[in-house]
């Protein structure tokens, strides 16, 4: 089948890309492995899943009509509500007929002579398209821990990212949760409510910040509607694609009492406001330690058992260097008599048995084990696409030492491929819908430029790619973010190259850079003109 474009992935990035390409009159098919839209919010259905960005921010902004046709119920929405929102968007924009669900892209190869991508699916189809747009998500490929004996365990195993439709009933059961990242922190308090016994295996303690989650009133919704245009501008002009209360200045410009008061004020606000307490928390280790100590003190106040509190406050990395979790009652859960905590650093998990888990020489028996063990993040799903560019070179070979891109969207040797929300973009460190909109808008402008100027292929230049890759690395090294063994560093996957895989300059700086490149005639890109009669969509621009 011949198309103008193939988009892979029906999350925030892919859905909006599909819409813009359709709007521009191109023939497009979106291929999605899941049975519905939603991306991360389709696959992750564990109990307690909630967004860590307020819902009035964590949504599209490109259409006021779309915005006004949806009502968010709470400040931080539950996962299923966000999935329903994307479903609403797909229906409202008439996108479903262009999406092929339950289909996986297995390979994509650039055909040099035809200036086209040949895209193979697991249904045995081959699609031919001029543009390939992977929107495969930063947190897609499940990380199953390599614990010996896992397959011998006779009880139920659940992974938070593959929960399934029907959920799981833990009433009266002995349950283990392995992992205390965001998914673990969110599901543990909920599972504890019904489980007979809950044992939490913690390797790395989270810094979790509390959230309050009031229902949004009609007045809140009305105010958001009135601020539609203004809020949209503000979020694009911000570092993280969301509006946080401005920090008053650098940490040590204030007295200890003033610092304490500001931390307390922001702790009370809930959510990421705390991380913006002062300007230097993520660049000055001493400033960061002040904030981290405040959080540890708060944890100790919440947890009754000093031994458990010591394990929960044993963070050995800067606050914020891993995206902090937001929780509702996480630490308080450890005060429940049926909940216990195992420090896996001191008592490593050795193996599964038929009945349970052996850690530090002690076997505990379980009916259910919940793996909250995360993802092969940032590059996992992209590499599984098995993309080969010019001269049959595989993306996996080009990225053997880590991802190399130009502006995150393009890779030298891979013409007409635009990666969305990929490595070296601000996406995962910001509010994803805001980042997706910015990037998709840039890509559609670039494609428009190509179509109207008879360009058959666009490709990043090596020198531009080197410069951008170095810039991303330099910005990261200027901060404390690389000082944690995080999934953004690839540290959770044995053998993965260690480097900071997100752009920390901010969505605002990234947008300015992308806009500047476009204004300079797509500086750093090489164009190939189309041969007479080749390629351009006749319908282009008609809509
Ligand atoms: P995704 O939503 O990940 O969509 C990618 C899609 O591509 C998936 O549906 C997948 O099935 C599909 N796909 C991948 N490979 C293939 C293939 N080969 N063939 C066919 N289809 C394929 N971000 C926040 O800002 N705030 C949060 O609170 C937050 N919470 C999160 C909680 C969890 C549990 C997870 C996993 C992520 C969370 N995120 C959060 C990050 C989230 O990934 C982004 O916010 C956003 O949803 C990403 O959108 P996306 O369109 O880039 O990718």
């Amino acid at each position: 089948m011949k198309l103008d474009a193939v988009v892979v992935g029906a999350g925030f990035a892919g859905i909006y890309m599909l819409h813009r390409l359709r709007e521009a009159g191109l023939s497009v098919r979106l291929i999605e492995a899941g049975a519905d839209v939603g991306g991360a919010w389709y696959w992750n259905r564990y109990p307690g899943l909630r967004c860590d960005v307020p819902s009035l921010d964590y949504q599209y902004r490109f259409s006021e009509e779309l915005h006004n046709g949806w009502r968010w119920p709470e400040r931080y929405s539950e996962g299923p509500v966000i999935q329903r929102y994307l479903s609403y968007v797909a229906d409202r924009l008439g996108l479903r007929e262009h999406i092929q669900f339950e289909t996986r892209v297995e390979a994509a190869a650039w055909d040099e002579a035809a200036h086209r991508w040949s895209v193979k699916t697991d249904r045995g189809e081959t699609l031919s398209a001029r543009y390939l747009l992977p929107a495969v998500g930063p947190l897609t490929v499940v990380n199953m821990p390599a614990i010996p004996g896992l397959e011998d365990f006779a009880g139920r195993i659940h992974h938070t990212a593959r929960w399934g439709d029907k959920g799981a009933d833990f009433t009266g059961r002995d349950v283990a949760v392995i992992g205390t990242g965001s998914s673990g922190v969110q599901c543990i308090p909920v599972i504890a409510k019904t489980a007979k016994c809950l044992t939490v295996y913690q390797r790395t303690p989270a810094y979790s910040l509390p959230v309050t989650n009031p229902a949004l009133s009609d007045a809140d919704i009305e105010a958001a509607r009135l601020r539609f245009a203004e809020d949209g501008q503000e979020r694009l002009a911000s570092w993280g694609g969301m509006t946080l209360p401005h920090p008053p200045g650098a940490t040590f410009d204030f007295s200890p009492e003033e610092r304490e008061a500001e931390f307390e004020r922001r702790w009370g606000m809930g959510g990421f406001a705390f991380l913006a307490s002062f300007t230097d928390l993520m660049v000055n280790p001493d400033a960061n330690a002040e904030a981290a100590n405040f959080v540890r003190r708060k944890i100790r106040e919440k947890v009754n058992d000093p031994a458990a509190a010591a394990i929960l406050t044993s963070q050995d990395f800067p606050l914020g260097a891993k995206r902090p979790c937001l929780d509702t009652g996480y630490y308080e859960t450890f005060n429940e008599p049926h909940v216990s905590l195992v420090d896996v650093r001191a008592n490593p998990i050795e193996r599964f048995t038929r009945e349970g888990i052996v850690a530090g020489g002690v076997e505990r028996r379980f009916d259910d084990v919940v793996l909250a063990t995360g993802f092969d993040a940032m590059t996992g799903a992209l590499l599984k696409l098995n993309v080969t560019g010019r001269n049959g070179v595989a993306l996996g070979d080009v990225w053997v030492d880590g991802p190399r891109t130009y502006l995150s969207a393009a890779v030298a040797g891979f013409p007409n491929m635009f990666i969305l929300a990929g490595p070296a973009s601000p996406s995962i460190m910001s509010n994803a819908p805001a980042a997706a909109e910015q990037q998709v808008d840039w890509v559609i402008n670039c494609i428009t430029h190509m179509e109207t100027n008879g360009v058959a292929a666009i490709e990043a230049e090596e020198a531009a790619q080197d410069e951008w890759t170095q810039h991303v690395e330099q910005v990261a090294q200027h901060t404390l973010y690389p000082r944690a063994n995080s999934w953004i560093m690839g540290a959770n996957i044995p053998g993965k190259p260690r480097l900071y895989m997100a752009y920390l300059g901010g969505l605002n700086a990234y947008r300015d850079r992308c806009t500047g490149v476009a204004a300079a005639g797509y500086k750093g890109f090489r164009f190939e003109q189309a041969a007479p009669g080749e390629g351009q969509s006749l319908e282009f621009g008609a809509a």
Side-chain angles (χ1 to χ4, degrees), residues 88-139:
Y88 151 80
V89 172
D91 290 337
R92 200 65 188 245
L93 300 176
L95 298 177
R96 280 189 193 274
E97 62 181 291
H98 308 291
I99 305 178
Q100 187 170 333
F101 291 109
E102 296 183 274
T103 306
R104 192 169 284 282
V105 170
E106 290 190 326
W110 175 248
D111 179 340
E112 188 83 42
H115 288 133
R116 282 183 162 271
W117 284 98
S118 172
V119 180
K120 287 195 167 51
T121 74
D122 63 355
R123 294 192 175 214
E125 284 170 301
T126 301
L127 309 173
S128 168
R130 291 190 293 124
Y131 302 105
L132 174 65
L133 299 124
V136 291
L139 298 169

Side-chain angles (χ1 to χ4, degrees), residues 12-13 16 20 59-63 66 85 232 235-236 431-444 507:
F12 272 97
Y16 183 47
R20 291 302 310 268
Q59 62 174 329
Y60 292 126
R61 285 263 162 200
F62 64 86
S63 157
L66 206 60
Y85 166 73
R235 78 175 188 171
L236 272 184
N431 176 19
E437 275 187 2
Q438 180 276 332
Q439 209 180 22
V440 167
D441 288 344
W442 186 86
V443 168
I444 201 74
L507 181 58

Side-chain angles (χ1 to χ4, degrees), residues 9 11-13 32-33 39-41 43-44 51-52 58 105 135-137 323 385 432:
F12 272 97
E32 167 55 55
W41 306 101
W43 291 107
N44 292 266
C51 197
D52 63 9
Y58 193 86
V105 170
V136 291
R323 187 169 174 138
L385 281 179

